[in-house]
Amino acid sequence: MSQRELIRVSVVGAGLGATVFHVPLVLSSPDLFILHSVVERTPPAEMQPEGTIAKKFNVKTKLVNKFEDVLSDEAVELVIVTTPNSTHYGFAKAALEAGKHVLVDKPVTTTYEEAQELGRIATRKNLILYAFQNRRWDSDYLTLRKVLQNGSLGHITDFVSQYDRYRNFLKGSWKESAKAGSGLIYDLGTHLIDQALHLFGRPARITAFLQNLRGIGEDNVDDNFTILLHYPRTEQNPYLFTVTLRAHPLSQRTPQLRYTIRGSKGTFVKHGLDVQEEQMKELGVEAFGKAWFGRESEEIQAELEVVEKEGDNAPLKSKITSEKGDYRALYRNLGAAIRDGEELKVKWKEAEMVMLIVDLAIVSSREGRTLDVPEV
């Protein structure tokens, strides 16, 4: 691909999302993308005059103080929105209306209605609109998906996905303030919901519990959630089953339990977290060139216990070699979609459904009842 065919990218924001994820991922595919500019209104004194991204990554890129300048720049094809959650909708809408393709960090918006509106604009203007659901390319998720696809667990009867930590203090982040899109359900919750919907589709009903468990910070900002997605019997699965999604802020365990999946023929248990984020924090773009990038250690490989047929009392126990995680696959798909019309791996309708589930979870928790999930 020649230089003039590269997709010129403007990153809106220069915080953790940009420095740990988006900029390294853009720079990791120089055959697809070129970092045209970064929107950073007021870089810290130690990062001036180049700006945070140019200085941190030692790259030549334009520092833009006004988002409007990106909108009017015809050279920019793709806008990456990685700003506080409450601003995602506004930035993404403006970029789409200006004729730019958009990748927006999760949560893509703060409501289902906003997500729907963005989808309509993208369709009307024939633009790519992509949700940054990078955790579909987590090592553990790829591993469990492979297990589910090969049928070794039989019919699924129970699925638990949890993302726990031990943190008895506030970090002072905007995520902990009582603004639209704040709270753990919008942060980790949108990842867990997306994975569940990707595996099993729309549930029939939802029951949710959102709390400020620790009693610190603003009481209406949740730091803990349990979401139950209820699935009916189908032709493919004769069992009722429930998906439990949870995140707990006071869980002291090393490594943390991540997945427990029960089926009619066996159980899958996985501890530990995907390693890519920490590797990217440590080495940035250089991490992608390491043979060990995205590979989990043997200590946190999943455990599988299965029988050959339902009702058998002689289970076979084994460890499963983890699949290699690779967040770059999302960006490769995005680039191919823009240039070659490749099918999106994360479809916007799926991003809309995530926000519908978030909206319903908030209502379910507030009203203390189980809600039907409408067909959309």
Side-chain angles (χ1 to χ4, degrees), residues 76 87 94 100 166 191 200 286 300 349:
V76 174
T87 67
K100 315 295 186 186
Y166 187 86
H191 279 313
F200 304 117
E286 294 180 11
I300 58 172
K349 284 294 183 183

Side-chain angles (χ1 to χ4, degrees), residues 313-332:
N313 291 320
L316 303 174
K317 297 181 181 181
S318 62
K319 289 251 189 175
I320 303 174
T321 301
S322 299
E323 295 293 301
K324 182 180 184 295
D326 190 2
Y327 295 159
R328 289 174 298 181
L330 184 152
Y331 264 84
R332 304 296 298 180

Side-chain angles (χ1 to χ4, degrees), residues 53-167:
I53 301 304
K55 192 156 188 177
K56 182 177 179 65
F57 291 91
N58 192 29
V59 294
K60 291 184 178 180
T61 188
K62 186 186 297 184
L63 175 63
V64 179
N65 302 121
K66 295 181 180 179
F67 178 57
E68 293 75 15
D69 292 341
V70 168
L71 300 181
S72 61
D73 191 335
E74 295 183 359
V76 174
E77 290 185 74
L78 171 64
V79 171
I80 297 173
V81 178
T82 177
T83 55
N85 296 348
S86 61
T87 67
H88 288 180
Y89 166 74
F91 281 126
K93 181 179 179 182
L96 290 169
E97 293 288 12
K100 315 295 186 186
H101 302 295
V102 174
L103 171 69
V104 60
D105 220 327
K106 56 83 194 166
V108 293
T109 56
T110 61
T111 68
Y112 174 52
E113 289 185 356
E114 290 178 345
Q116 285 183 299
E117 184 180 357
L118 293 183
R120 288 191 292 266
I121 296 171
T123 298
R124 171 167 54 84
K125 297 184 75 69
N126 195 30
L127 293 166
I128 299 297
L129 179 58
Y130 207 115
F132 187 64
Q133 285 292 358
N134 59 305
R135 294 202 175 275
R136 290 196 191 182
W137 286 271
D138 275 359
S139 174
D140 48 24
Y141 180 71
L142 293 173
T143 303
L144 79 86
R145 193 164 180 233
K146 185 176 181 179
V147 170
L148 292 180
Q149 289 173 339
N150 69 29
S152 57
L153 294 179
H155 298 294
I156 302 305
T157 60
D158 186 55
F159 182 96
V160 180
S161 172
Q162 57 198 86
Y163 207 111
D164 300 332
R165 60 178 57 150
Y166 187 86
R167 184 179 294 161

Side-chain angles (χ1 to χ4, degrees), residues 18 23 74 78 89 103 115 130 140 151 172 180 205 211 237-238 247 252 276 289-290 301 305 342 346 359 362:
V23 171
E74 295 183 359
L78 171 64
Y89 166 74
L103 171 69
Y130 207 115
D140 48 24
R205 294 172 297 136
Q211 303 171 309
N237 188 350
Q252 183 58 62
Q276 293 175 85
K290 305 297 183 182
Q301 287 180 348
E305 183 171 333
E342 185 172 289
V346 182
D359 282 359
I362 292 170

